[in-house]
Amino acid sequence: KTKYVFFDFETIFDVNNDNLLVPYSICWYYDDTNTHGNSKEIYEFKKEHMDECNMRFGFNCCNDFLKEIINNCPKDTKYVLIGYNSSRFDNFFIANKCLNLNVLSNLFYVNNSILGMTINGKHQVFDLCRFTACSLKQACKGFQTNPKKIEGFSHQEIQNIFEVSGIEGLKKWELENSEKLIEYNKTDVMALCSLFHKVKKAIHDICDVDLTDFMTIGQLSYKCFLK
């Protein structure tokens, strides 16, 4: 069976790191809604879903995330890791760690983006932004997600702290502002989950296809043109 995993990294810019962008926090959510294929079941957000989100902090957070995905997945389950604009950012973190863990295959790279890859022989990735083509804030507003994306979280503040005080300063900030970071990261993930199901249902109603069978809206459109 297929299960969706919604995730989001928070990152800082590090000129001394070969990858430049470095994740310092990740949140992910295992979605138990049975919506794979052509199911018309509608996802409904509940406050307890926030408590079901998983969080990891620090520069090893991506590695921790992948080990959880690989080691704790039931044998009969395949995960689809769903991010937002992840083909341009998050998927690079994941691919790099998967390469180190020797669990990466079928990498599909085009126009500076990783549109697809296979993790540990079965798990896949999916970027919802390739179908909405706008910011997460704009998409959540347009599709009236529940929850909505929250405002007021300053990425520049964290970047400034890291540039002045380094990793120790970042760790100190995380400890002192953990509630703010957790709320922001979790809300982004749950907003993405709500958005995905709304977009998925809309595309199914219009085109009678499963959104996750495609990598981009262009690929989906061409399929529909051929009908």
Side-chain angles (χ1 to χ4, degrees):
K1 63 180 180 180
T2 298
K3 192 171 186 177
Y4 301 133
V5 181
F6 297 90
F7 73 97
D8 179 51
F9 285 106
E10 301 303 329
T11 64
I12 51 93
F13 180 78
D14 183 2
V15 294
N16 296 314
N17 189 291
D18 290 340
N19 297 319
L20 296 180
L21 284 177
V22 182
Y24 66 86
S25 170
I26 184 173
C27 175
W28 73 93
Y29 172 71
Y30 296 102
D31 179 20
D32 287 321
T33 309
N34 181 24
T35 56
H36 188 64
N38 291 329
S39 169
K40 294 186 178 181
E41 181 180 347
I42 299 175
Y43 168 82
E44 292 184 7
F45 170 73
K46 298 178 181 178
K47 288 185 177 180
E48 54 263 34
H49 291 168
M50 286 285 197
D51 297 328
E52 297 170 4
C53 288
N54 298 269
M55 294 285 304
R56 294 293 185 276
F57 306 102
F59 286 174
N60 288 322
C61 65
C62 184
N63 201 54
D64 295 340
F65 168 57
L66 285 171
K67 286 185 176 179
E68 285 279 342
I69 292 296
I70 294 168
N71 297 333
N72 295 334
C73 178
K75 291 183 178 180
D76 65 343
T77 301
K78 179 187 82 171
Y79 292 143
V80 178
L81 309 185
I82 300 174
Y84 200 84
N85 208 20
S86 49
S87 61
R88 297 183 179 93
F89 295 98
D90 308 60
N91 287 355
F92 284 86
F93 309 142
I94 292 174
N96 186 49
K97 293 299 182 182
C98 284
L99 190 61
N100 293 337
L101 295 170
N102 198 30
V103 294
L104 177 66
S105 60
N106 301 323
L107 186 79
F108 187 73
Y109 176 84
V110 60
N111 293 334
N112 298 318
S113 300
I114 297 177
L115 294 178
M117 66 176 117
T118 302
I119 301 169
N120 201 36
K122 60 178 179 177
H123 309 305
Q124 305 292 323
V125 295
F126 180 84
D127 182 4
L128 184 59
C129 186
R130 290 295 184 163
F131 296 83
T132 57
C134 63
S135 70
L136 181 60
K137 177 183 176 181
Q138 290 174 309
C140 288
K141 181 178 180 180
F143 280 88
Q144 299 181 331
T145 62
N146 180 23
K148 296 179 173 61
K149 181 173 173 58
I150 60 175
E151 300 297 320
F153 185 83
S154 175
H155 295 282
Q156 188 59 53
E157 176 189 352
I158 302 169
Q159 183 64 40
N160 291 341
I161 289 171
F162 176 74
E163 290 178 1
V164 172
S165 305
I167 183 64
E168 294 305 320
L170 180 61
K171 287 180 179 179
K172 184 173 183 290
W173 183 91
E174 284 183 324
L175 287 173
E176 295 174 349
N177 297 273
S178 59
E179 290 186 8
K180 183 193 298 186
L181 175 58
I182 289 170
E183 179 189 25
Y184 179 80
N185 217 169
K186 285 186 175 183
T187 303
D188 261 14
V189 167
M190 297 315 305
L192 171 60
C193 181
S194 175
L195 176 64
F196 170 81
H197 286 292
K198 285 175 175 285
V199 173
K200 187 176 188 295
K201 183 178 184 303
I203 287 181
H204 177 265
D205 290 347
I206 297 169
C207 304
D208 193 27
V209 295
D210 184 349
L211 177 68
T212 58
D213 288 339
F214 306 91
M215 292 184 181
T216 65
I217 195 168
Q219 183 189 18
L220 184 152
S221 299
Y222 184 71
K223 173 74 173 182
C224 293
F225 289 156
L226 296 179
K227 287 189 175 181

